[in-house]
Amino acid sequence: MIKLLKGSVIKKAVKAAVSLKARAAQKAKVIQTQTETQIASHTALTDSAVQQQRAVNTLERTPARDTFTATSPVENISASAKAEKAAQAENASTAAQQTSQTRPSKNESKRMTAATQHQTLIDFEYIKKEKLFNEEIMFLLQPKTTASGAKIFTPNQTKVINLAVKKATFYKGMSKRLEALGSSTIEKIIKDVKTVFGGEKNYGKYLHARSKNGQPSSKDSVSIYNKIIKEFKDKKVNTEIMNIFSRKLYQKPYKMLDKTEKELVKLSIFDGDVKLESRDYKAFEKILSTGKKDYEEAVDWIKDLIGLRMIIPDSADMNVAAQYLTEAILGGKFNVTRVSNYHANHIYPYISQDTVKLWKQSVPGIEVVQSNAIRKQNGYTTTQMNILHPVKDKSGKIKYVWVELQLRSEALNKIGQIEHLIYDILAKKNIGKDILELQKYYDSIGIEKAVHEVFGNPQKEAAYIDYERAMYSWIRHNENPASRQSCTRPILTDFGLGEYEHLLSFEALQQIDDTAKILKERYGKADLKKLTKK
């Protein structure tokens, strides 16, 4: 009987999911409107203005807070009582006068509360902009509006928001430190890696580093920070915090919930069905800590601080590159921690699975990714490895720097580069790079419109992915000496997308990329100067 009741409850929950989704969508819209209204008066603040306002508020409220803490009403009464008992015959009125002077007035307490609430609202806007939490948590941190229109945060909300601001500041600071570390070590690391591949006169000449303005560059602090925030949300917010709600509703971790259950957890939060207790806020305090352990954890999230590529002109020479790598790994010159041999089914990887297996068996600790994560749906092929490389700083102290090294052929690398334009558009990146002429060019050919048409239609998207996979397969087929049968170059028409041949075929994307490079070179520096002056 109990089992039947449980089954009935679950069925009802699942049947209600559709209507709950519709209701939640409407509620989310209302919530968004309310939130935007609440902070509308603050959105004009720039980052610098926000920081100045926070500093001013801190200076204004700190003395008052200190006074209140040092002389609470209870302490004052106790002090007065002792004074009266000790010296009743003396000046009792003087003791009473001193007590009244140290106790904050009601108006003063109200002003302190208003200042704290105002500061918390500014901090709330800040962490919303930084996207530190998902929408469910931001909903829980929203202030309530009183009848007079005041925005009120609870003490627990204020505490979490304050800790979140400190966490974001902590991550920004470490992002700058990591950028500085990469910038100071990149030349030495490039030299070391080239040496492994026989030096500049041998295969070392095929090594390329991530560059900026034509110079080798480590990952910049903005990219580092964005990556850290993404990892923080994935590994902390969407697991440890969401576990609180999933355990209350389903008695199991959030990651073990199916899609419907996760949706119901989300709706339950928006509906206020799950209340957070004081002990639950300890989970927030834990993930928002800023100690040494948190720093080291975040450092390990940036495994591509230095990005290097071995681009081999003739894929037949990849076996020689693999031999260089094997000698370096087995000889202890490369501290490889992880290897991902990306390829799709029926497409040859660049480093043979036997070679990768040898590395794993010979060097304990190397992780070889063998799950579906290395099976790229579109056929993208490359061998990627993470290396923890030791470098001495100016003081002689050894520092370990994360290096990501990828190996692939020149032909495949070219396609991978031009293909990025599609994914940059889908990710809503600034493809014009603030270069007016470049954006005009993209607008004139309609590349963004074409991308959204294809990837906004499930059938067209699936057909285009089939085209990509066929292209990567065609390249690897022609590169592999073992391939004896000829293979015809795929065209979009074969996949029912002939109308996009002039824009989204790999040949068309190559022409667009070539033109974009010319426009960047011709107009990029001029537009950059204009932006700098502004």
Side-chain angles (χ1 to χ4, degrees), residues 22-44:
R23 178 161 54 82
Q26 184 177 5
K27 176 176 281 188
K29 188 175 181 180
V30 173
I31 291 164
Q32 181 179 0
T33 303
Q34 290 175 342
T35 304
E36 290 173 353
T37 302
Q38 290 169 7
I39 63 173
S41 61
H42 302 284
T43 53

mmCIF file with all atom_site columns, all heavy atoms in Angstrom, residues 22-44:
data_model
loop_
_atom_site.group_PDB
_atom_site.id
_atom_site.type_symbol
_atom_site.label_atom_id
_atom_site.label_alt_id
_atom_site.label_comp_id
_atom_site.label_asym_id
_atom_site.label_entity_id
_atom_site.label_seq_id
_atom_site.pdbx_PDB_ins_code
_atom_site.Cartn_x
_atom_site.Cartn_y
_atom_site.Cartn_z
_atom_site.occupancy
_atom_site.B_iso_or_equiv
_atom_site.pdbx_formal_charge
_atom_site.auth_seq_id
_atom_site.auth_comp_id
_atom_site.auth_asym_id
_atom_site.auth_atom_id
_atom_site.pdbx_PDB_model_num
ATOM 1   N N   . ALA A 1 22 ? 4.989  26.076 -16.736 1.00 0.00 ? 22 ALA A N   1
ATOM 2   C CA  . ALA A 1 22 ? 4.326  27.258 -17.271 1.00 0.00 ? 22 ALA A CA  1
ATOM 3   C C   . ALA A 1 22 ? 4.155  28.307 -16.177 1.00 0.00 ? 22 ALA A C   1
ATOM 4   O O   . ALA A 1 22 ? 4.403  29.499 -16.377 1.00 0.00 ? 22 ALA A O   1
ATOM 5   C CB  . ALA A 1 22 ? 2.973  26.867 -17.855 1.00 0.00 ? 22 ALA A CB  1
ATOM 6   N N   . ARG A 1 23 ? 3.731  27.831 -14.975 1.00 0.00 ? 23 ARG A N   1
ATOM 7   C CA  . ARG A 1 23 ? 3.538  28.748 -13.857 1.00 0.00 ? 23 ARG A CA  1
ATOM 8   C C   . ARG A 1 23 ? 4.866  29.357 -13.416 1.00 0.00 ? 23 ARG A C   1
ATOM 9   O O   . ARG A 1 23 ? 4.935  30.545 -13.110 1.00 0.00 ? 23 ARG A O   1
ATOM 10  C CB  . ARG A 1 23 ? 2.893  27.993 -12.699 1.00 0.00 ? 23 ARG A CB  1
ATOM 11  C CG  . ARG A 1 23 ? 2.689  28.835 -11.439 1.00 0.00 ? 23 ARG A CG  1
ATOM 12  C CD  . ARG A 1 23 ? 1.664  28.196 -10.515 1.00 0.00 ? 23 ARG A CD  1
ATOM 13  N NE  . ARG A 1 23 ? 2.030  26.824 -10.227 1.00 0.00 ? 23 ARG A NE  1
ATOM 14  C CZ  . ARG A 1 23 ? 2.916  26.483 -9.291  1.00 0.00 ? 23 ARG A CZ  1
ATOM 15  N NH1 . ARG A 1 23 ? 3.518  27.417 -8.591  1.00 0.00 ? 23 ARG A NH1 1
ATOM 16  N NH2 . ARG A 1 23 ? 3.194  25.211 -9.064  1.00 0.00 ? 23 ARG A NH2 1
ATOM 17  N N   . ALA A 1 24 ? 5.897  28.527 -13.426 1.00 0.00 ? 24 ALA A N   1
ATOM 18  C CA  . ALA A 1 24 ? 7.218  29.023 -13.008 1.00 0.00 ? 24 ALA A CA  1
ATOM 19  C C   . ALA A 1 24 ? 7.754  30.048 -13.991 1.00 0.00 ? 24 ALA A C   1
ATOM 20  O O   . ALA A 1 24 ? 8.391  31.016 -13.607 1.00 0.00 ? 24 ALA A O   1
ATOM 21  C CB  . ALA A 1 24 ? 8.201  27.868 -12.894 1.00 0.00 ? 24 ALA A CB  1
ATOM 22  N N   . ALA A 1 25 ? 7.485  29.809 -15.292 1.00 0.00 ? 25 ALA A N   1
ATOM 23  C CA  . ALA A 1 25 ? 7.961  30.754 -16.298 1.00 0.00 ? 25 ALA A CA  1
ATOM 24  C C   . ALA A 1 25 ? 7.317  32.116 -16.078 1.00 0.00 ? 25 ALA A C   1
ATOM 25  O O   . ALA A 1 25 ? 7.972  33.161 -16.154 1.00 0.00 ? 25 ALA A O   1
ATOM 26  C CB  . ALA A 1 25 ? 7.635  30.228 -17.688 1.00 0.00 ? 25 ALA A CB  1
ATOM 27  N N   . GLN A 1 26 ? 6.011  32.071 -15.783 1.00 0.00 ? 26 GLN A N   1
ATOM 28  C CA  . GLN A 1 26 ? 5.297  33.318 -15.518 1.00 0.00 ? 26 GLN A CA  1
ATOM 29  C C   . GLN A 1 26 ? 5.812  33.975 -14.249 1.00 0.00 ? 26 GLN A C   1
ATOM 30  O O   . GLN A 1 26 ? 6.031  35.175 -14.178 1.00 0.00 ? 26 GLN A O   1
ATOM 31  C CB  . GLN A 1 26 ? 3.796  33.036 -15.399 1.00 0.00 ? 26 GLN A CB  1
ATOM 32  C CG  . GLN A 1 26 ? 2.947  34.316 -15.222 1.00 0.00 ? 26 GLN A CG  1
ATOM 33  C CD  . GLN A 1 26 ? 1.467  34.004 -15.178 1.00 0.00 ? 26 GLN A CD  1
ATOM 34  O OE1 . GLN A 1 26 ? 1.089  32.836 -15.190 1.00 0.00 ? 26 GLN A OE1 1
ATOM 35  N NE2 . GLN A 1 26 ? 0.643  35.024 -15.131 1.00 0.00 ? 26 GLN A NE2 1
ATOM 36  N N   . LYS A 1 27 ? 6.020  33.128 -13.219 1.00 0.00 ? 27 LYS A N   1
ATOM 37  C CA  . LYS A 1 27 ? 6.515  33.659 -11.943 1.00 0.00 ? 27 LYS A CA  1
ATOM 38  C C   . LYS A 1 27 ? 7.922  34.236 -12.096 1.00 0.00 ? 27 LYS A C   1
ATOM 39  O O   . LYS A 1 27 ? 8.230  35.296 -11.566 1.00 0.00 ? 27 LYS A O   1
ATOM 40  C CB  . LYS A 1 27 ? 6.518  32.566 -10.882 1.00 0.00 ? 27 LYS A CB  1
ATOM 41  C CG  . LYS A 1 27 ? 7.114  33.039 -9.553  1.00 0.00 ? 27 LYS A CG  1
ATOM 42  C CD  . LYS A 1 27 ? 7.013  31.967 -8.492  1.00 0.00 ? 27 LYS A CD  1
ATOM 43  C CE  . LYS A 1 27 ? 5.638  31.927 -7.919  1.00 0.00 ? 27 LYS A CE  1
ATOM 44  N NZ  . LYS A 1 27 ? 5.543  31.032 -6.761  1.00 0.00 ? 27 LYS A NZ  1
ATOM 45  N N   . ALA A 1 28 ? 8.772  33.522 -12.866 1.00 0.00 ? 28 ALA A N   1
ATOM 46  C CA  . ALA A 1 28 ? 10.142 34.000 -13.081 1.00 0.00 ? 28 ALA A CA  1
ATOM 47  C C   . ALA A 1 28 ? 10.135 35.358 -13.765 1.00 0.00 ? 28 ALA A C   1
ATOM 48  O O   . ALA A 1 28 ? 10.954 36.222 -13.473 1.00 0.00 ? 28 ALA A O   1
ATOM 49  C CB  . ALA A 1 28 ? 10.920 32.988 -13.911 1.00 0.00 ? 28 ALA A CB  1
ATOM 50  N N   . LYS A 1 29 ? 9.169  35.533 -14.696 1.00 0.00 ? 29 LYS A N   1
ATOM 51  C CA  . LYS A 1 29 ? 9.068  36.806 -15.397 1.00 0.00 ? 29 LYS A CA  1
ATOM 52  C C   . LYS A 1 29 ? 8.703  37.920 -14.432 1.00 0.00 ? 29 LYS A C   1
ATOM 53  O O   . LYS A 1 29 ? 9.245  39.021 -14.457 1.00 0.00 ? 29 LYS A O   1
ATOM 54  C CB  . LYS A 1 29 ? 8.035  36.704 -16.514 1.00 0.00 ? 29 LYS A CB  1
ATOM 55  C CG  . LYS A 1 29 ? 8.004  37.926 -17.431 1.00 0.00 ? 29 LYS A CG  1
ATOM 56  C CD  . LYS A 1 29 ? 7.046  37.696 -18.592 1.00 0.00 ? 29 LYS A CD  1
ATOM 57  C CE  . LYS A 1 29 ? 7.044  38.906 -19.517 1.00 0.00 ? 29 LYS A CE  1
ATOM 58  N NZ  . LYS A 1 29 ? 6.118  38.700 -20.662 1.00 0.00 ? 29 LYS A NZ  1
ATOM 59  N N   . VAL A 1 30 ? 7.754  37.604 -13.537 1.00 0.00 ? 30 VAL A N   1
ATOM 60  C CA  . VAL A 1 30 ? 7.350  38.588 -12.534 1.00 0.00 ? 30 VAL A CA  1
ATOM 61  C C   . VAL A 1 30 ? 8.510  38.902 -11.598 1.00 0.00 ? 30 VAL A C   1
ATOM 62  O O   . VAL A 1 30 ? 8.777  40.044 -11.257 1.00 0.00 ? 30 VAL A O   1
ATOM 63  C CB  . VAL A 1 30 ? 6.143  38.062 -11.719 1.00 0.00 ? 30 VAL A CB  1
ATOM 64  C CG1 . VAL A 1 30 ? 5.812  38.999 -10.564 1.00 0.00 ? 30 VAL A CG1 1
ATOM 65  C CG2 . VAL A 1 30 ? 4.941  37.904 -12.633 1.00 0.00 ? 30 VAL A CG2 1
ATOM 66  N N   . ILE A 1 31 ? 9.213  37.827 -11.201 1.00 0.00 ? 31 ILE A N   1
ATOM 67  C CA  . ILE A 1 31 ? 10.362 37.985 -10.301 1.00 0.00 ? 31 ILE A CA  1
ATOM 68  C C   . ILE A 1 31 ? 11.427 38.875 -10.927 1.00 0.00 ? 31 ILE A C   1
ATOM 69  O O   . ILE A 1 31 ? 11.979 39.766 -10.295 1.00 0.00 ? 31 ILE A O   1
ATOM 70  C CB  . ILE A 1 31 ? 10.970 36.613 -9.960  1.00 0.00 ? 31 ILE A CB  1
ATOM 71  C CG1 . ILE A 1 31 ? 9.997  35.831 -9.077  1.00 0.00 ? 31 ILE A CG1 1
ATOM 72  C CG2 . ILE A 1 31 ? 12.305 36.755 -9.237  1.00 0.00 ? 31 ILE A CG2 1
ATOM 73  C CD1 . ILE A 1 31 ? 10.321 34.359 -9.001  1.00 0.00 ? 31 ILE A CD1 1
ATOM 74  N N   . GLN A 1 32 ? 11.684 38.624 -12.215 1.00 0.00 ? 32 GLN A N   1
ATOM 75  C CA  . GLN A 1 32 ? 12.705 39.409 -12.917 1.00 0.00 ? 32 GLN A CA  1
ATOM 76  C C   . GLN A 1 32 ? 12.305 40.878 -12.952 1.00 0.00 ? 32 GLN A C   1
ATOM 77  O O   . GLN A 1 32 ? 13.115 41.771 -12.722 1.00 0.00 ? 32 GLN A O   1
ATOM 78  C CB  . GLN A 1 32 ? 12.886 38.882 -14.339 1.00 0.00 ? 32 GLN A CB  1
ATOM 79  C CG  . GLN A 1 32 ? 13.956 39.630 -15.125 1.00 0.00 ? 32 GLN A CG  1
ATOM 80  C CD  . GLN A 1 32 ? 14.126 39.052 -16.519 1.00 0.00 ? 32 GLN A CD  1
ATOM 81  O OE1 . GLN A 1 32 ? 13.460 38.109 -16.877 1.00 0.00 ? 32 GLN A OE1 1
ATOM 82  N NE2 . GLN A 1 32 ? 15.011 39.642 -17.282 1.00 0.00 ? 32 GLN A NE2 1
ATOM 83  N N   . THR A 1 33 ? 10.993 41.121 -13.228 1.00 0.00 ? 33 THR A N   1
ATOM 84  C CA  . THR A 1 33 ? 10.501 42.497 -13.274 1.00 0.00 ? 33 THR A CA  1
ATOM 85  C C   . THR A 1 33 ? 10.638 43.162 -11.913 1.00 0.00 ? 33 THR A C   1
ATOM 86  O O   . THR A 1 33 ? 11.068 44.308 -11.806 1.00 0.00 ? 33 THR A O   1
ATOM 87  C CB  . THR A 1 33 ? 9.022  42.512 -13.711 1.00 0.00 ? 33 THR A CB  1
ATOM 88  O OG1 . THR A 1 33 ? 8.903  41.859 -14.971 1.00 0.00 ? 33 THR A OG1 1
ATOM 89  C CG2 . THR A 1 33 ? 8.515  43.945 -13.832 1.00 0.00 ? 33 THR A CG2 1
ATOM 90  N N   . GLN A 1 34 ? 10.292 42.398 -10.844 1.00 0.00 ? 34 GLN A N   1
ATOM 91  C CA  . GLN A 1 34 ? 10.400 42.952 -9.497  1.00 0.00 ? 34 GLN A CA  1
ATOM 92  C C   . GLN A 1 34 ? 11.836 43.278 -9.151  1.00 0.00 ? 34 GLN A C   1
ATOM 93  O O   . GLN A 1 34 ? 12.142 44.334 -8.600  1.00 0.00 ? 34 GLN A O   1
ATOM 94  C CB  . GLN A 1 34 ? 9.844  41.961 -8.476  1.00 0.00 ? 34 GLN A CB  1
ATOM 95  C CG  . GLN A 1 34 ? 8.329  41.802 -8.553  1.00 0.00 ? 34 GLN A CG  1
ATOM 96  C CD  . GLN A 1 34 ? 7.829  40.731 -7.604  1.00 0.00 ? 34 GLN A CD  1
ATOM 97  O OE1 . GLN A 1 34 ? 8.613  39.904 -7.147  1.00 0.00 ? 34 GLN A OE1 1
ATOM 98  N NE2 . GLN A 1 34 ? 6.537  40.745 -7.317  1.00 0.00 ? 34 GLN A NE2 1
ATOM 99  N N   . THR A 1 35 ? 12.745 42.347 -9.489  1.00 0.00 ? 35 THR A N   1
ATOM 100 C CA  . THR A 1 35 ? 14.164 42.549 -9.180  1.00 0.00 ? 35 THR A CA  1
ATOM 101 C C   . THR A 1 35 ? 14.724 43.759 -9.911  1.00 0.00 ? 35 THR A C   1
ATOM 102 O O   . THR A 1 35 ? 15.458 44.570 -9.352  1.00 0.00 ? 35 THR A O   1
ATOM 103 C CB  . THR A 1 35 ? 14.968 41.304 -9.574  1.00 0.00 ? 35 THR A CB  1
ATOM 104 O OG1 . THR A 1 35 ? 14.418 40.181 -8.930  1.00 0.00 ? 35 THR A OG1 1
ATOM 105 C CG2 . THR A 1 35 ? 16.427 41.456 -9.152  1.00 0.00 ? 35 THR A CG2 1
ATOM 106 N N   . GLU A 1 36 ? 14.353 43.886 -11.194 1.00 0.00 ? 36 GLU A N   1
ATOM 107 C CA  . GLU A 1 36 ? 14.839 45.020 -11.983 1.00 0.00 ? 36 GLU A CA  1
ATOM 108 C C   . GLU A 1 36 ? 14.319 46.333 -11.406 1.00 0.00 ? 36 GLU A C   1
ATOM 109 O O   . GLU A 1 36 ? 15.030 47.336 -11.384 1.00 0.00 ? 36 GLU A O   1
ATOM 110 C CB  . GLU A 1 36 ? 14.407 44.865 -13.442 1.00 0.00 ? 36 GLU A CB  1
ATOM 111 C CG  . GLU A 1 36 ? 15.129 43.732 -14.154 1.00 0.00 ? 36 GLU A CG  1
ATOM 112 C CD  . GLU A 1 36 ? 14.587 43.479 -15.542 1.00 0.00 ? 36 GLU A CD  1
ATOM 113 O OE1 . GLU A 1 36 ? 13.558 44.094 -15.898 1.00 0.00 ? 36 GLU A OE1 1
ATOM 114 O OE2 . GLU A 1 36 ? 15.186 42.681 -16.263 1.00 0.00 ? 36 GLU A OE2 1
ATOM 115 N N   . THR A 1 37 ? 13.062 46.310 -10.910 1.00 0.00 ? 37 THR A N   1
ATOM 116 C CA  . THR A 1 37 ? 12.485 47.515 -10.304 1.00 0.00 ? 37 THR A CA  1
ATOM 117 C C   . THR A 1 37 ? 13.221 47.871 -9.020  1.00 0.00 ? 37 THR A C   1
ATOM 118 O O   . THR A 1 37 ? 13.504 49.031 -8.742  1.00 0.00 ? 37 THR A O   1
ATOM 119 C CB  . THR A 1 37 ? 10.996 47.295 -10.002 1.00 0.00 ? 37 THR A CB  1
ATOM 120 O OG1 . THR A 1 37 ? 10.338 46.965 -11.226 1.00 0.00 ? 37 THR A OG1 1
ATOM 121 C CG2 . THR A 1 37 ? 10.378 48.552 -9.417  1.00 0.00 ? 37 THR A CG2 1
ATOM 122 N N   . GLN A 1 38 ? 13.547 46.802 -8.244  1.00 0.00 ? 38 GLN A N   1
ATOM 123 C CA  . GLN A 1 38 ? 14.201 47.029 -6.950  1.00 0.00 ? 38 GLN A CA  1
ATOM 124 C C   . GLN A 1 38 ? 15.543 47.710 -7.102  1.00 0.00 ? 38 GLN A C   1
ATOM 125 O O   . GLN A 1 38 ? 15.928 48.533 -6.284  1.00 0.00 ? 38 GLN A O   1
ATOM 126 C CB  . GLN A 1 38 ? 14.375 45.702 -6.218  1.00 0.00 ? 38 GLN A CB  1
ATOM 127 C CG  . GLN A 1 38 ? 13.072 45.093 -5.736  1.00 0.00 ? 38 GLN A CG  1
ATOM 128 C CD  . GLN A 1 38 ? 13.277 43.678 -5.262  1.00 0.00 ? 38 GLN A CD  1
ATOM 129 O OE1 . GLN A 1 38 ? 14.404 43.209 -5.180  1.00 0.00 ? 38 GLN A OE1 1
ATOM 130 N NE2 . GLN A 1 38 ? 12.194 42.987 -4.943  1.00 0.00 ? 38 GLN A NE2 1
ATOM 131 N N   . ILE A 1 39 ? 16.274 47.352 -8.135  1.00 0.00 ? 39 ILE A N   1
ATOM 132 C CA  . ILE A 1 39 ? 17.644 47.874 -8.246  1.00 0.00 ? 39 ILE A CA  1
ATOM 133 C C   . ILE A 1 39 ? 17.786 48.895 -9.367  1.00 0.00 ? 39 ILE A C   1
ATOM 134 O O   . ILE A 1 39 ? 18.882 49.263 -9.742  1.00 0.00 ? 39 ILE A O   1
ATOM 135 C CB  . ILE A 1 39 ? 18.654 46.734 -8.473  1.00 0.00 ? 39 ILE A CB  1
ATOM 136 C CG1 . ILE A 1 39 ? 18.378 46.026 -9.807  1.00 0.00 ? 39 ILE A CG1 1
ATOM 137 C CG2 . ILE A 1 39 ? 18.639 45.750 -7.348  1.00 0.00 ? 39 ILE A CG2 1
ATOM 138 C CD1 . ILE A 1 39 ? 19.433 45.000 -10.165 1.00 0.00 ? 39 ILE A CD1 1
ATOM 139 N N   . ALA A 1 40 ? 16.637 49.361 -9.891  1.00 0.00 ? 40 ALA A N   1
ATOM 140 C CA  . ALA A 1 40 ? 16.680 50.301 -11.008 1.00 0.00 ? 40 ALA A CA  1
ATOM 141 C C   . ALA A 1 40 ? 17.416 51.580 -10.636 1.00 0.00 ? 40 ALA A C   1
ATOM 142 O O   . ALA A 1 40 ? 18.132 52.155 -11.444 1.00 0.00 ? 40 ALA A O   1
ATOM 143 C CB  . ALA A 1 40 ? 15.266 50.632 -11.465 1.00 0.00 ? 40 ALA A CB  1
ATOM 144 N N   . SER A 1 41 ? 17.244 52.000 -9.376  1.00 0.00 ? 41 SER A N   1
ATOM 145 C CA  . SER A 1 41 ? 17.865 53.255 -8.943  1.00 0.00 ? 41 SER A CA  1
ATOM 146 C C   . SER A 1 41 ? 19.367 53.135 -8.817  1.00 0.00 ? 41 SER A C   1
ATOM 147 O O   . SER A 1 41 ? 20.058 54.129 -8.691  1.00 0.00 ? 41 SER A O   1
ATOM 148 C CB  . SER A 1 41 ? 17.275 53.697 -7.601  1.00 0.00 ? 41 SER A CB  1
ATOM 149 O OG  . SER A 1 41 ? 17.543 52.721 -6.629  1.00 0.00 ? 41 SER A OG  1
ATOM 150 N N   . HIS A 1 42 ? 19.851 51.889 -8.849  1.00 0.00 ? 42 HIS A N   1
ATOM 151 C CA  . HIS A 1 42 ? 21.301 51.687 -8.646  1.00 0.00 ? 42 HIS A CA  1
ATOM 152 C C   . HIS A 1 42 ? 22.025 51.304 -9.934  1.00 0.00 ? 42 HIS A C   1
ATOM 153 O O   . HIS A 1 42 ? 23.243 51.268 -9.957  1.00 0.00 ? 42 HIS A O   1
ATOM 154 C CB  . HIS A 1 42 ? 21.535 50.584 -7.600  1.00 0.00 ? 42 HIS A CB  1
ATOM 155 C CG  . HIS A 1 42 ? 20.895 50.899 -6.297  1.00 0.00 ? 42 HIS A CG  1
ATOM 156 N ND1 . HIS A 1 42 ? 21.399 51.807 -5.399  1.00 0.00 ? 42 HIS A ND1 1
ATOM 157 C CD2 . HIS A 1 42 ? 19.750 50.412 -5.746  1.00 0.00 ? 42 HIS A CD2 1
ATOM 158 C CE1 . HIS A 1 42 ? 20.613 51.873 -4.342  1.00 0.00 ? 42 HIS A CE1 1
ATOM 159 N NE2 . HIS A 1 42 ? 19.603 51.045 -4.532  1.00 0.00 ? 42 HIS A NE2 1
ATOM 160 N N   . THR A 1 43 ? 21.306 50.989 -11.006 1.00 0.00 ? 43 THR A N   1
ATOM 161 C CA  . THR A 1 43 ? 21.960 50.462 -12.208 1.00 0.00 ? 43 THR A CA  1
ATOM 162 C C   . THR A 1 43 ? 22.831 51.489 -12.904 1.00 0.00 ? 43 THR A C   1
ATOM 163 O O   . THR A 1 43 ? 23.637 51.145 -13.751 1.00 0.00 ? 43 THR A O   1
ATOM 164 C CB  . THR A 1 43 ? 20.923 49.943 -13.205 1.00 0.00 ? 43 THR A CB  1
ATOM 165 O OG1 . THR A 1 43 ? 19.958 50.980 -13.462 1.00 0.00 ? 43 THR A OG1 1
ATOM 166 C CG2 . THR A 1 43 ? 20.196 48.740 -12.670 1.00 0.00 ? 43 THR A CG2 1
ATOM 167 N N   . ALA A 1 44 ? 22.627 52.791 -12.569 1.00 0.00 ? 44 ALA A N   1
ATOM 168 C CA  . ALA A 1 44 ? 23.451 53.818 -13.201 1.00 0.00 ? 44 ALA A CA  1
ATOM 169 C C   . ALA A 1 44 ? 24.847 53.869 -12.625 1.00 0.00 ? 44 ALA A C   1
ATOM 170 O O   . ALA A 1 44 ? 25.731 54.509 -13.167 1.00 0.00 ? 44 ALA A O   1
ATOM 171 C CB  . ALA A 1 44 ? 22.779 55.185 -13.054 1.00 0.00 ? 44 ALA A CB  1
#
